[in-house]
Amino acid sequence: MTPERINENLSAIIARIETARKAAVAPAPSTTLIAVTKTHGPGTIALALIAGQRVFGENRVQEAAGKWPALREAYADIELHLIGPLQTNKAREAVALFDAIHTLDRPKLADVLRAEMDRAGRFPFLFVQVNTGEEPQKAGVPPREAEALIARARSLGLPLKGLMCIPPAAEAPAPHFALLQKLAR
């Protein structure tokens, strides 16, 4: 991948996002692109950094731990998000490495994250992952249990930023996002 190609792709994606945002019934004031770097090495990521991208997502703690510390030394303004499932035994590494964790999906993980945040003095913001389609192959709290998990996370003083879901591929996403909005209220 060349620097020019990365620049072209990044510009095209940002333009598509902006067009979609403006066309929305109730446009958000802004949108943030999280560039997913799963399977991409530090060299390719560096090209995206040179092109100006600063917010990235990784699916696995171990993969991120192998490539992001050095990149963070070179680019202090990186924002790194964990977008894949988090096992409790990886919580310490996740709290140390990520600025956001998108996959809070059970009370035990909430408890472990609280303990690790207190220990590290570092508080990445969190999203509760809701399995809106109740698909057995996907992580996430079922919608009927989301309110209790949110209450638990709040009682622990966790830095909740919001809710997230991955709608079923074969379904329209709008009803799933509407359900998230209802749960968020």
Side-chain angles (χ1 to χ4, degrees), residues 75-146:
Y75 296 89
D77 58 344
I78 290 171
E79 188 175 298
L80 190 57
H81 294 237
L82 177 61
I83 58 172
L86 178 59
Q87 299 171 334
T88 55
N89 66 342
K90 300 288 185 198
R92 179 171 289 190
E93 287 177 275
V95 166
L97 185 60
F98 293 97
D99 301 297
I101 297 170
H102 289 234
T103 51
L104 173 57
D105 62 355
R106 58 201 182 280
K108 181 180 179 185
L109 181 57
D111 294 339
V112 171
L113 285 169
R114 175 80 257 173
E116 289 303 331
M117 288 178 186
D118 289 342
R119 188 197 58 73
R122 192 163 191 287
F123 303 91
F125 59 86
L126 305 173
F127 292 86
V128 171
Q129 182 177 3
V130 182
N131 186 344
T132 56
E134 300 196 46
E135 297 174 279
Q137 75 277 17
K138 286 186 182 171
V141 62
R144 68 188 168 284
E145 297 173 22

